[in-house]
Amino acid sequence: MGADRPGAGTVTRGRAEVTFHEQVTGHVADDFWELYLEAFGPLRERAAARHVLHREEFDEEMSDPRVLKLLAHDEQGEPVGLTTLATDLAAVPWVSPEFFAARYPEHAARGAVWYIGFTLAHPGRRATRTFMDMIDALVAHLAENRVVCAYDVSRFNDDSLRFADNLRRHLERTQDVTVETVDQQSYYATTFH
């Protein structure tokens, strides 16, 4: 396993142990790749944008120290959740650092505009505290660093899980935050007959 992020440790809430890592390689990366495919594979047919990384892209993100990884394990040490958090927007090829710098200049000047790449829980653990254990650990870290944290949500996850709404309500209950939609993109298809 890679180096732990300085100052970040293990957070245990409920039944998932959440740890922070700058790099994840070897058999640990292999284990989380399998979890990633199990959780995100269905999005291949449910979202217009490609949400499922290729193995090489996954490995690159797991080894990139600019992307903090939150790993969740169950009581037996099995991988049950994963979140990626880019602490440098240059590590996220699909976002515009200039957009966020113009919108949040003070945060950008101190390197405090971060981006959640993805967060997932094992499909069999979605009705448990695993997902919220990861969110709580992530939110505590974000609040401690007083950052602007950006993320995107597919329409499928928003429509079926009300993900963004539920996250906003949780954040507003637990933190002093402002949640706003900063941009939106729709995908269209034209069928010619």
Side-chain angles (χ1 to χ4, degrees), residues 111-184:
V113 180
W114 296 354
Y115 200 90
I116 299 173
F118 60 82
T119 189
L120 61 91
H122 185 282
R125 305 257 322 191
R126 289 183 182 153
T128 69
R129 281 273 320 156
T130 298
F131 191 76
M132 289 312 298
D133 291 341
M134 288 189 313
I135 294 296
D136 289 344
L138 174 64
V139 167
H141 187 69
L142 298 171
E144 177 185 325
N145 287 281
R146 298 179 304 113
V147 302
V148 168
C149 182
Y151 50 92
D152 59 85
V153 179
S154 74
R155 181 175 174 185
F156 173 80
N157 282 337
D158 241 3
D159 288 351
S160 64
L161 305 173
R162 299 186 47 86
F163 183 83
D165 235 14
N166 289 331
L167 180 58
R168 178 189 50 78
R169 279 197 300 276
H170 179 72
L171 291 170
E172 289 174 347
R173 268 195 319 269
T174 61
Q175 301 291 322
D176 180 15
V177 296
T178 301
V179 179
E180 60 184 328
T181 301
V182 294
D183 196 10
Q184 202 161 8

Side-chain angles (χ1 to χ4, degrees), residues 2-193:
D4 288 339
R5 183 169 182 81
T10 300
V11 178
T12 304
R13 289 188 172 85
R15 294 170 40 186
E17 180 180 293
V18 180
T19 55
F20 293 71
H21 302 268
E22 285 186 349
Q23 295 181 308
V24 176
T25 58
H27 74 0
V28 177
D30 293 341
D31 291 346
F32 278 93
W33 168 248
E34 294 303 320
L35 172 64
Y36 174 81
L37 287 179
E38 193 169 350
F40 269 39
L43 285 175
R44 288 183 174 123
E45 297 177 356
R46 295 178 178 157
R50 183 171 66 93
H51 286 272
V52 182
L53 299 172
H54 299 298
R55 179 62 197 254
E56 306 78 41
E57 295 168 318
F58 180 86
D59 287 343
E60 185 178 313
E61 193 160 333
M62 292 299 104
S63 64
D64 188 339
R66 301 172 300 171
V67 180
L68 186 61
K69 278 65 74 176
L70 284 73
L71 307 183
H73 290 88
D74 67 10
E75 307 83 14
Q76 289 77 39
E78 294 297 315
V80 292
L82 172 63
T83 298
T84 61
L85 176 64
T87 57
D88 178 350
L89 292 183
V92 186
W94 63 88
V95 300
S96 168
E98 296 84 3
F99 172 86
F100 290 101
R103 192 170 188 97
Y104 306 102
E106 293 171 19
H107 287 84
R110 63 182 177 86
V113 180
W114 296 354
Y115 200 90
I116 299 173
F118 60 82
T119 189
L120 61 91
H122 185 282
R125 305 257 322 191
R126 289 183 182 153
T128 69
R129 281 273 320 156
T130 298
F131 191 76
M132 289 312 298
D133 291 341
M134 288 189 313
I135 294 296
D136 289 344
L138 174 64
V139 167
H141 187 69
L142 298 171
E144 177 185 325
N145 287 281
R146 298 179 304 113
V147 302
V148 168
C149 182
Y151 50 92
D152 59 85
V153 179
S154 74
R155 181 175 174 185
F156 173 80
N157 282 337
D158 241 3
D159 288 351
S160 64
L161 305 173
R162 299 186 47 86
F163 183 83
D165 235 14
N166 289 331
L167 180 58
R168 178 189 50 78
R169 279 197 300 276
H170 179 72
L171 291 170
E172 289 174 347
R173 268 195 319 269
T174 61
Q175 301 291 322
D176 180 15
V177 296
T178 301
V179 179
E180 60 184 328
T181 301
V182 294
D183 196 10
Q184 202 161 8
Q185 183 165 333
S186 296
Y187 290 82
Y188 298 90
T190 303
T191 302
F192 292 86
H193 304 280

